[in-house]
Amino acid sequence: MIKSLKSWLNEQSLNFKLSVSILTCVGLVFLGLVFFISEKSEPIIKSQIEDVAQKTVESYVFDFNNLIEGTEQIILNTKNTLVQAKKDKAIYFQALLNSALTTTHLKISNAWIYVFSDEDVTNGILYKSILQKNGEIDFKSEEISDFYDKFPWFTEVPKEEKIFWSEPYEDKNTAQTVITGLIPFKFRDSKVFNGLVAITVNLSNIRDSVNDFSFYETGKLLLLSRLGLYVTHPNPDIALKTTIFDLAKKINLPELDYIGNELKAGKTGQKEISSSTVFDEKVVVFYAPIKSIGWSFCLIYQQNEFLKPLHHFKYIVFVALFISIILLLLIINKICKHSTTQLSALGMIASLYGSGNFSQVFGEEPSSKDVKIISKALADMRKNLLKHIEKEKQNAAETQKNASELEIARNIQNSALSVDFPQNNIFDIYALMKPAKQVGGDFYDFFYIDDNNFAIVIADVSGKGIPAALYMMKAQTLIKNITKSKIDIADVFYKANNELCEGNDSCMFVTVFMAVINLSKGEVRCVNAGHIPPLLFDGFAYSSLSTHKNIVLGIRKNIKFVSDKFNILPDNRILLYTDGVTEAENSSSKFFGEKRLFKALQKNKPNPKENLSTISKNINKFAQNTAQSDDITMLEFVYKGKNIENLTVAADLNNIKKIVDFLKNNMQKHQIADKNQFKIVTSAEEIFSNIVQYAYDNLENKKISITAQKENKLYCISFIDTGKNFNPLEQKMPDISVDIKDREVGGLGILLIKKLADDVQYQRIENKNMLKAYFKL
């Protein structure tokens, strides 16, 4: 079949062959383009729908959370008012409960206060305000002797002073599904709880809203309680009757059990499920917890609905492709008719030339200007090729020799560079080198001196080729071996320099920067021998590190080298690089330069690998395919610190919540007691407010960095800012014995911090304010 097809094609005219070939190529390009777009569009469309779905769930969570928090605030306000009372008064309680019923956006069934005796919680008086359908409020009180019988779920309420929300239950008076939020209270001067204040919320409006929701016409929203009970579900046999865990066992669907545990742990996410009770097919479940109450929302969406827009798109593209091919066939056929017999003859001659046979020449009179040009070009090509072949024979041996030496030099250079980057939770490191065509002498290195000290090195050897590569290997080996002998870093350079000067008849030299980092303290000792100063990221921006200017290695013996010392904090970075970075050229012979490097670093990525990749991409974009004249070598060290977490935010009072959330997450991780959490969070809020109000004024780039660290039974929070020199501890403390009308403004915040913290310290380091507060646990 294939043979007969080839034979048939060989018999066709050049015009036909060109038409078929061009049309086939164009058709394949179109098909490839359609396939490419389809493949690329599918994840994009799916990702967009997933993003919208997740944000929809989080929006419902946000709205419901606000409603719950508003209701909780009413409960707390009522409880705080009761705390001021000495005993129960029916009229006083009626006013409180009536006010609570009319100050929330949720549909409230009733509000009540239960005052029980000291001896028995089940005996007491229940004061209750009930919101009637006509909007009127009915208040009543009654003596209770069987409180647990009236409210069976009360046995689950923890005996502590915080709001507890019940699971959904049916109100016996209204036959409506409700939930109750309550909190115990003490009357003034009482040392034990005297009663409960509670609000009962009717879930009918919320359930109707959730049941009426649809996502892209088919998606369904479900509401789950704290214990995983389906508050809403399209199936009435499941709603308010079954938990997600029971349903998972019933229909043997472990994915449901996974989602329930994720929500129970307070996590947000999505999960594909092979089937569900909402849709009898594959679905994707988007879920998010309502943290204030422990409930959660789940959005169920059919998986096959993701690809409907893509299928419609493919149909349109294929119709357009078919019409385009028909039109192209007509156009190509017209163009190809201009092919001539002489073109075929010229093609045969060119084919012979391509195979090395130069015996044939084109002797006919050209039939057109184009054919004349081609025939002349073939004749000139024949003449030049014969000359070139002769010349190539003479240069082949020399070229082979040079290529062999260049390959040896490249192998030497590559063998010196380590690509096994250590895994350590205290730091992260990455390096890369993009060699130039002409082998140079750049190298980087990194190694442990001991368990607590880590060295990073970057260097640039003068010269090119094998001599530079060998000198590079010698310098790298010397520096590494001498450093591991654990002598002072300045002495390392003294000894390495003397060794490199020995027998250096070619007068080669090497610029080197080396730093040794104490991993537990963040202390850095470094020596710069004629190299470009590294860049230091202090948590706010990159800046050039100021170091002593020592002579390069290999020039003169017995030179004393001066080391430098500085400290780095968590999230600080050290970026080492060679001049191949800043001196990368474009087609206009302009250098990449430091300004473009700093601009690229403004988009710094969270890990050094991505950061160096970003810089490399910026250099490539700037060079515009211009040949690289020098090696481009970079190494970045990111210090994370030991048991330290940090956060940087803009100096804006609106960011207090971010600070509080950061500290709460950190303290929960370290299991800090609630009473200590209160002191720490309150102190942090006051410190942050003081910095915002007094340290920056109208300065730009106002940022504040906070770190949290727990060591044994001590917890420390540190605030760092780049504002003006401001020591809040030197501010005059207010005299609290003076009447508030005559007291001077200010100072109360610092006084509060000193009262709450066990120790407060201030330092001004490298044009930054650092305030530390210590708390004994």
Side-chain angles (χ1 to χ4, degrees):
M1 178 70 179
I2 297 175
K3 250 185 179 181
S4 60
L5 180 61
K6 286 184 177 180
S7 176
W8 178 78
L9 282 174
N10 289 334
E11 294 173 2
Q12 303 306 311
S13 65
L14 180 59
N15 175 35
F16 179 82
K17 291 177 181 177
L18 286 173
S19 299
V20 171
S21 299
I22 296 172
L23 188 61
T24 301
C25 291
V26 172
L28 289 174
V29 169
F30 267 96
L31 287 172
L33 185 61
V34 170
F35 178 79
F36 176 81
I37 293 173
S38 298
E39 290 297 308
K40 293 296 181 182
S41 299
E42 182 174 336
I44 293 172
I45 293 172
K46 185 177 179 182
S47 175
Q48 288 177 343
I49 295 177
E50 288 176 345
D51 187 53
V52 172
Q54 194 65 51
K55 287 181 179 177
T56 300
V57 175
E58 291 173 0
S59 174
Y60 264 79
V61 168
F62 179 80
D63 292 341
F64 192 87
N65 194 62
N66 285 343
L67 291 174
I68 291 298
E69 287 182 351
T71 305
E72 288 185 345
Q73 190 58 51
I74 295 169
I75 297 173
L76 289 173
N77 291 342
T78 307
K79 173 252 180 185
N80 292 336
T81 305
L82 287 170
V83 168
Q84 303 304 316
K86 290 188 175 181
K87 60 181 180 178
D88 52 315
K89 293 182 180 179
I91 297 175
Y92 182 60
F93 290 170
Q94 182 178 3
L96 277 177
L97 294 175
N98 289 356
S99 173
L101 284 176
T102 58
T103 54
T104 178
H105 296 291
L106 285 173
K107 186 176 181 181
I108 295 180
S109 293
N110 56 71
W112 49 268
I113 297 171
Y114 176 59
V115 181
F116 49 74
S117 64
D118 295 346
E119 295 77 21
D120 188 2
V121 175
T122 62
N123 294 318
I125 302 175
L126 180 67
Y127 301 90
K128 195 170 187 180
S129 286
I130 303 171
L131 187 63
Q132 304 295 333
K133 291 182 178 180
N134 58 6
E136 294 182 358
I137 299 174
D138 181 20
F139 176 80
K140 63 180 182 180
S141 63
E142 61 178 310
E143 291 189 3
I144 301 293
S145 60
D146 55 343
F147 187 76
Y148 285 150
D149 293 337
K150 283 183 174 292
F151 302 97
W153 50 266
F154 184 73
T155 57
E156 303 171 9
V157 178
K159 296 179 180 179
E160 54 187 355
E161 195 170 357
K162 70 177 184 179
I163 293 176
F164 173 82
W165 286 96
S166 73
E167 284 291 281
Y169 66 94
E170 184 175 297
D171 190 326
K172 294 179 181 179
N173 296 322
T174 63
Q176 296 285 340
T177 302
V178 298
I179 56 171
T180 298
L182 60 81
I183 190 170
F185 68 87
K186 302 174 185 176
F187 287 126
R188 186 170 43 170
D189 301 329
S190 176
K191 296 182 179 179
V192 296
F193 291 124
N194 301 110
L196 308 168
V197 58
I199 286 180
T200 300
V201 178
N202 189 334
L203 294 177
S204 58
N205 286 353
I206 293 173
R207 293 185 67 201
D208 291 343
S209 173
V210 173
N211 286 330
D212 293 340
F213 171 86
S214 65
F215 180 76
Y216 283 100
E217 300 180 356
T218 61
K220 295 294 182 182
L221 192 64
L222 306 180
L223 177 61
L224 279 70
S225 73
R226 184 179 69 257
L227 298 180
L229 179 69
Y230 285 101
V231 181
T232 64
H233 195 282
N235 188 340
D237 294 329
I238 295 176
L240 295 172
K241 297 177 182 177
T242 305
T243 68
I244 191 171
F245 304 103
D246 293 336
L247 189 60
K249 292 179 182 178
K250 183 177 180 181
I251 62 176
N252 191 25
L253 200 61
E255 293 93 339
L256 275 182
D257 192 75
Y258 171 84
I259 292 172
N261 287 317
E262 284 283 280
L263 291 171
K264 196 172 181 181
K267 296 181 180 179
T268 299
Q270 66 182 70
K271 183 73 174 176
E272 292 184 4
I273 299 180
S274 56
S275 66
S276 77
T277 54
V278 179
F279 302 105
D280 190 20
E281 61 182 274
K282 286 187 177 180
V283 297
V284 181
V285 181
F286 303 88
Y287 55 88
I290 307 166
K291 294 188 177 178
S292 62
I293 192 173
W295 289 27
S296 53
F297 276 107
C298 292
L299 175 59
I300 315 295
Y301 190 63
Q302 294 158 286
Q303 197 173 42
N304 59 13
E305 290 294 321
F306 280 114
L307 303 179
K308 276 189 177 179
L310 183 62
H311 295 156
H312 181 66
F313 170 77
K314 286 182 178 179
Y315 173 79
I316 294 173
V317 171
F318 274 110
V319 170
L321 174 62
F322 179 78
I323 296 172
S324 299
I325 288 177
I326 297 299
L327 294 174
L328 281 172
L329 180 61
L330 298 174
I331 296 170
I332 292 169
N333 186 58
K334 289 282 185 182
I335 295 172
C336 291
K337 282 184 178 179
H338 293 284
S339 301
T340 66
T341 306
Q342 286 190 338
L343 283 177
S344 299
L346 288 171
M348 289 181 63
I349 294 173
S351 178
L352 291 172
Y353 290 175
S355 63
N357 182 356
F358 299 97
S359 61
Q360 297 292 325
V361 293
F362 185 75
E364 299 178 22
E365 182 68 21
S367 60
S368 67
K369 184 179 179 181
D370 293 336
V371 174
K372 184 177 181 180
I373 293 171
I374 295 173
S375 63
K376 185 178 184 305
L378 278 174
D380 292 339
M381 181 179 71
R382 177 177 180 273
K383 180 180 178 181
N384 293 331
L385 280 173
L386 290 172
K387 288 182 179 179
H388 181 73
I389 289 171
E390 186 61 31
K391 186 177 180 181
E392 282 298 307
K393 288 179 180 178
Q394 298 172 359
N395 295 335
E398 186 66 27
T399 302
Q400 183 63 35
K401 179 182 177 182
N402 292 338
S404 178
E405 290 182 354
L406 190 62
E407 186 62 27
I408 292 170
R410 281 202 183 98
N411 291 336
I412 293 172
Q413 188 178 33
N414 292 335
S415 66
L417 302 176
S418 175
V419 292
D420 296 326
F421 301 102
Q423 302 296 315
N424 195 307
N425 59 2
I426 300 178
F427 68 88
D428 198 359
I429 189 172
Y430 190 76
L432 63 81
M433 188 185 81
K434 184 181 178 184
K437 291 182 179 179
Q438 186 75 14
V439 176
D442 281 11
F443 75 85
Y444 63 80
D445 203 358
F446 49 83
F447 51 88
Y448 285 98
I449 300 173
D450 53 43
D451 291 342
N452 196 44
N453 290 280
F454 188 75
I456 55 175
V457 184
I458 195 164
D460 188 357
V461 176
S462 63
K464 304 289 182 184
I466 291 179
L470 292 174
Y471 197 76
M472 176 205 75
M473 289 286 288
K474 181 180 180 181
Q476 183 187 25
T477 304
L478 281 171
I479 291 171
K480 188 171 187 176
N481 290 341
I482 297 172
T483 302
K484 286 195 172 183
S485 66
K486 298 184 180 180
I487 63 174
D488 183 75
I489 189 170
D491 294 335
V492 170
F493 275 61
Y494 177 84
K495 289 188 175 184
N497 177 59
N498 284 348
E499 290 288 339
L500 290 170
C501 288
E502 290 290 339
N504 188 15
D505 298 331
S506 58
C507 296
M508 299 186 75
F509 62 87
V510 56
T511 68
V512 186
F513 177 88
M514 182 171 78
V516 176
I517 302 100
N518 184 305
L519 299 178
S520 61
K521 298 179 180 179
E523 182 181 280
V524 182
R525 294 187 66 86
C526 64
V527 172
N528 189 353
H531 198 76
I532 301 172
L535 301 181
L536 178 65
F537 180 75
D538 61 2
F540 298 94
Y542 282 90
S543 60
S544 183
L545 183 66
S546 178
T547 60
H548 283 88
K549 296 179 180 178
N550 296 291
I551 193 171
V552 298
L553 303 185
I555 297 295
R556 192 166 72 246
K557 295 179 70 173
N558 300 324
I559 297 296
K560 296 291 184 180
F561 291 84
V562 181
S563 64
D564 296 281
K565 180 181 177 182
F566 61 94
N567 290 313
I568 52 177
L569 299 171
D571 201 33
N572 284 184
R573 309 177 185 185
I574 303 173
L575 174 62
L576 314 181
Y577 63 97
T578 60
D579 55 8
V581 174
T582 51
E583 294 179 6
E585 294 184 65
N586 62 10
S587 55
S588 302
S589 299
K590 292 182 179 179
F591 288 150
F592 184 68
E594 287 188 353
K595 286 185 177 179
R596 290 185 180 89
L597 176 59
F598 278 102
K599 187 176 181 181
L601 288 169
Q602 289 176 0
K603 304 174 183 177
N604 65 82
K605 301 295 181 180
N607 63 65
K609 182 176 181 180
E610 292 181 1
N611 205 30
L612 298 189
S613 176
T614 299
I615 299 171
S616 181
K617 287 177 182 176
N618 276 267
I619 293 173
N620 292 340
K621 184 177 179 181
F622 168 81
Q624 300 172 342
N625 298 321
T626 303
Q628 186 179 325
S629 60
D630 198 0
D631 295 345
I632 294 175
T633 308
M634 294 179 283
L635 180 148
E636 185 169 55
F637 176 91
V638 179
Y639 183 64
K640 299 177 183 177
K642 188 176 182 181
N643 296 328
I644 299 177
E645 292 187 18
N646 72 308
L647 173 71
T648 300
V649 297
D652 187 331
L653 290 177
N654 292 325
N655 287 325
I656 283 184
K657 187 176 185 304
K658 292 182 180 178
I659 298 292
V660 172
D661 290 344
F662 163 74
L663 285 174
K664 283 184 176 180
N665 290 334
N666 183 270
M667 290 187 290
Q668 287 176 3
K669 185 188 301 182
H670 293 297
Q671 299 180 340
I672 307 298
D674 288 348
K675 63 179 181 179
N676 288 327
Q677 287 193 29
F678 171 78
K679 294 194 296 183
I680 294 166
V681 168
T682 304
S683 300
E685 289 176 339
E686 290 296 334
I687 294 171
F688 185 80
S689 300
N690 266 275
I691 296 173
V692 172
Q693 295 177 29
Y694 302 111
Y696 277 110
D697 292 335
N698 296 321
L699 296 176
E700 295 182 355
N701 194 25
K702 301 187 291 185
K703 292 185 178 179
I704 300 173
S705 180
I706 178 173
T707 62
Q709 181 180 17
K710 178 181 178 293
E711 286 292 341
N712 298 324
K713 293 188 177 181
L714 197 65
Y715 192 83
C716 172
I717 55 174
S718 305
F719 282 81
I720 304 171
D721 66 84
T722 56
K724 65 184 180 182
N725 191 340
F726 171 69
N727 184 358
L729 302 181
E730 294 177 351
Q731 304 305 305
K732 184 179 179 182
M733 295 295 102
D735 187 355
I736 59 175
S737 63
V738 177
D739 190 275
I740 192 168
K741 295 184 296 183
D742 304 321
R743 195 181 304 161
E744 293 184 9
V745 177
L748 284 174
I750 298 302
L751 178 62
L752 178 62
I753 296 167
K754 288 184 174 180
K755 291 288 185 182
L756 293 174
D758 294 288
D759 187 23
V760 185
Q761 300 176 4
Y762 168 82
Q763 287 180 289
R764 180 74 175 178
I765 303 174
E766 297 179 357
N767 296 321
K768 298 185 187 73
N769 298 307
M770 178 184 289
L771 188 69
K772 291 186 176 182
Y774 295 88
F775 301 87
K776 294 179 181 178
L777 304 178

